[in-house]
Amino acid sequence: MTARSRWLVLLAASGAGLGVLRNQHTLTWLSLTVLIWVFAEWLLFYTRLWFELPLLQIERSVNGRQESSGYLWAGRSVSVVVKVVTRRGRIGPLLILRDCLPENFIITSGNCERELLTRTNEIAFEYEAKIGGAGRATLPGFRVTIQDPQGFFATERFIPVEQTFRVLPAYADINESNTLVKRINSLPQHGIHRLQRAGMGSELLELREYVPGDPPKSIAWKVSARRDTLMTRQYESEVPVRVYLFVDGSISTRIGGFGRRLLDQMLYVAGTVARSSASAGDPVGAILFDERGRTRVAPTGGERGFYRLLEALSDFAVNPVPPHQRLSPGLTNAAMRLAGERYPELLDPRINQVPFTFFPLVPWKRKALYQRTLLAGVLSELYDQSPVELLQLAHDDGRMAA
């Protein structure tokens, strides 16, 4: 019941009681008519809630694909199309549908919320969003709000339609890669880079006098005839360069929103260097380190090795589990906001009841205790806690913070 319905029921009940006491039949019948009307609206509302809501089918396609997992690119736009149908009948009016977006999705055009004012067979809307940074993005589902035409009753539900995407880091497009001349390279593998040291390449490095043991095919006969002594050609050696990227992902690089973190900029540079090296034929590897430890990605060449490195950078960009912290009002409010978005039915006071108490007497402390007890009930339901563990959760700061 909304505040409007409560006030109307209170006035109608008062009018009915006053009409009976003062023997005013008109007032009594008018008040009873209002009460019967509100009761009829309540029946119609819960009929929609019990029978229409379970029949809703929601489909979400991201870039034209409805798979539960996939790949996205940081810094690029994605197109999301949402379609809602019902298995039987029509979708009732005064229904608000909102797609719950992760922090990594930044809406650029359209709206992720749709309000239905008339009955229809199908709802469809679309919007475009930009991916902020690399890591992992999860679209959990939809928040549905249903209310009656008079605004007497309203309720919210969460319908899970989960899609998880691995977000690969962006990189600059390298159209042409100019090879560089390197003086020293100890790798024996064949590649495309020029090494200014004697070898069996195609570019001439220098001419020197013949030494016994030099292959006859390396003798420069025309130069030898002019100088009247045997001269030997020495060619440059062509070897690859093994590239290692060292990426620091400590907590200081993850501060800020997606797309503005220092880690996002470093991953952009790392992806660009890897793209340039891979296009030149060099094997690329990485050493990734943060509070969780160190991860080594072995150097691999080719397109497959490049995308394998991008996947490793994407997994590395996922924020680690934060360290334990104390229970603060900010942490409690953040948890309540998340619970209100994902599990609104668990915050229903008819299900999650807070016992009445006179203490504490200070209003803001009573509000904090009320929120904490509600949150303890939600967490105990999600993590299958016993009643004893529920009481511990409501009174133990460390357990609640964890």
Side-chain angles (χ1 to χ4, degrees):
M1 293 181 65
T2 61
R4 178 185 304 178
S5 176
R6 294 189 184 96
W7 280 108
L8 183 61
V9 169
L10 178 62
L11 291 177
S14 301
L18 187 62
V20 170
L21 292 177
R22 301 186 61 178
N23 200 21
Q24 295 180 349
H25 303 289
T26 303
L27 179 61
T28 303
W29 283 110
L30 181 62
S31 301
L32 290 176
T33 303
V34 172
L35 291 175
I36 294 173
W37 174 49
V38 173
F39 179 72
E41 290 291 335
W42 177 82
L43 288 178
L44 291 176
F45 173 76
Y46 274 92
T47 300
R48 289 184 56 196
L49 183 63
W50 291 334
F51 294 101
E52 291 186 8
L53 188 60
L55 298 177
L56 291 181
Q57 290 183 336
I58 304 178
E59 298 177 356
R60 183 202 300 114
S61 61
V62 180
N63 288 340
R65 303 175 66 91
Q66 298 181 3
E67 288 80 359
S68 59
S69 61
Y71 290 85
L72 297 175
W73 288 92
R76 299 185 184 180
S77 295
V78 296
S79 177
V80 182
V81 178
V82 179
K83 183 179 179 181
V84 185
V85 296
T86 181
R87 292 193 294 267
R88 186 175 67 250
R90 307 177 72 184
I91 305 175
L94 297 176
L95 182 142
I96 302 175
L97 189 73
R98 180 169 64 89
D99 196 357
C100 298
L101 300 182
E103 185 183 1
N104 208 1
F105 272 61
I106 305 171
I107 295 181
T108 56
S109 65
N111 195 348
C112 65
E113 183 176 308
R114 177 66 183 272
E115 183 176 359
L116 181 65
L117 300 179
T118 58
R119 281 190 173 273
T120 183
N121 295 323
E122 180 179 311
I123 306 175
F125 62 95
E126 59 181 306
Y127 60 92
E128 290 188 358
K130 181 180 179 182
I131 308 300
R136 187 176 291 110
T138 300
L139 297 170
F142 295 86
R143 186 185 181 99
V144 179
T145 302
I146 299 179
Q147 64 182 29
D148 66 301
Q150 285 73 31
F152 292 158
F153 306 95
T155 188
E156 294 179 335
R157 292 292 185 268
F158 181 80
I159 301 178
V161 182
E162 185 170 322
Q163 289 179 284
T164 303
F165 299 94
R166 174 182 281 172
V167 182
L168 301 179
Y171 62 89
D173 189 15
I174 306 297
N175 296 324
E176 295 183 0
S177 179
N178 299 323
T179 58
L180 302 177
V181 178
K182 296 171 285 295
R183 300 299 303 180
I184 299 176
N185 197 317
S186 60
L187 295 181
Q189 304 171 8
H190 178 73
I192 65 171
H193 290 292
R194 296 166 54 195
L195 174 62
Q196 293 186 351
R197 192 173 64 186
M200 296 302 295
S202 59
E203 296 292 333
L204 181 64
L205 177 62
E206 62 179 355
L207 292 171
R208 62 171 175 82
E209 292 186 2
Y210 178 80
V211 176
D214 289 343
K217 67 177 182 179
S218 65
I219 299 177
W221 295 106
K222 292 183 180 180
V223 178
S224 300
R226 289 197 301 266
R227 297 189 181 184
D228 198 20
T229 182
L230 288 178
M231 302 295 294
T232 300
R233 297 189 186 95
Q234 282 194 326
Y235 296 93
E236 295 178 354
S237 177
E238 296 178 349
V239 296
V241 173
R242 182 175 295 169
V243 180
Y244 263 106
L245 304 173
F246 292 83
V247 183
D248 176 17
S250 56
I251 190 64
S252 60
T253 65
R254 301 174 184 267
I255 297 176
F258 284 96
R260 299 187 298 271
R261 303 178 302 174
L262 179 59
L263 180 62
D264 294 328
Q265 313 306 320
M266 291 192 295
L267 293 182
Y268 177 79
V269 174
T272 303
V273 173
R275 175 74 274 177
S276 177
S277 302
S279 61
D282 295 329
V284 186
I287 301 294
L288 314 174
F289 50 93
D290 58 5
E291 290 83 359
R292 294 170 289 188
R294 182 181 62 191
T295 303
R296 178 180 179 271
V297 182
T300 312
E303 290 295 315
R304 179 176 297 181
F306 170 66
Y307 285 102
R308 175 168 164 263
L309 177 62
L310 289 186
E311 290 180 357
L313 293 176
S314 174
D315 295 338
F316 179 69
V318 178
N319 290 331
V321 178
H324 294 302
Q325 52 186 318
R326 66 182 183 85
L327 186 65
S328 62
L331 182 61
T332 304
N333 292 333
M336 284 294 295
R337 286 194 299 270
L338 182 60
E341 180 177 284
R342 301 285 185 89
Y343 312 103
E345 62 277 2
L346 296 183
L347 293 177
D348 193 330
R350 295 170 302 173
I351 300 174
N352 193 353
Q353 295 183 358
V354 178
F356 176 77
T357 177
F358 289 102
F359 302 99
L361 298 177
V362 184
W364 57 86
K365 289 187 177 182
R366 289 179 62 88
K367 181 180 178 181
L369 180 62
Y370 180 81
Q371 284 188 344
R372 179 166 176 171
T373 308
L374 278 180
L375 188 59
V378 173
L379 294 176
S380 64
E381 178 67 23
L382 295 178
Y383 292 98
D384 197 16
Q385 302 283 301
S386 65
V388 176
E389 291 173 326
L390 170 60
L391 291 177
Q392 293 176 351
L393 195 63
H395 297 282
D396 188 350
D397 291 348
R399 186 178 180 85
M400 174 67 79

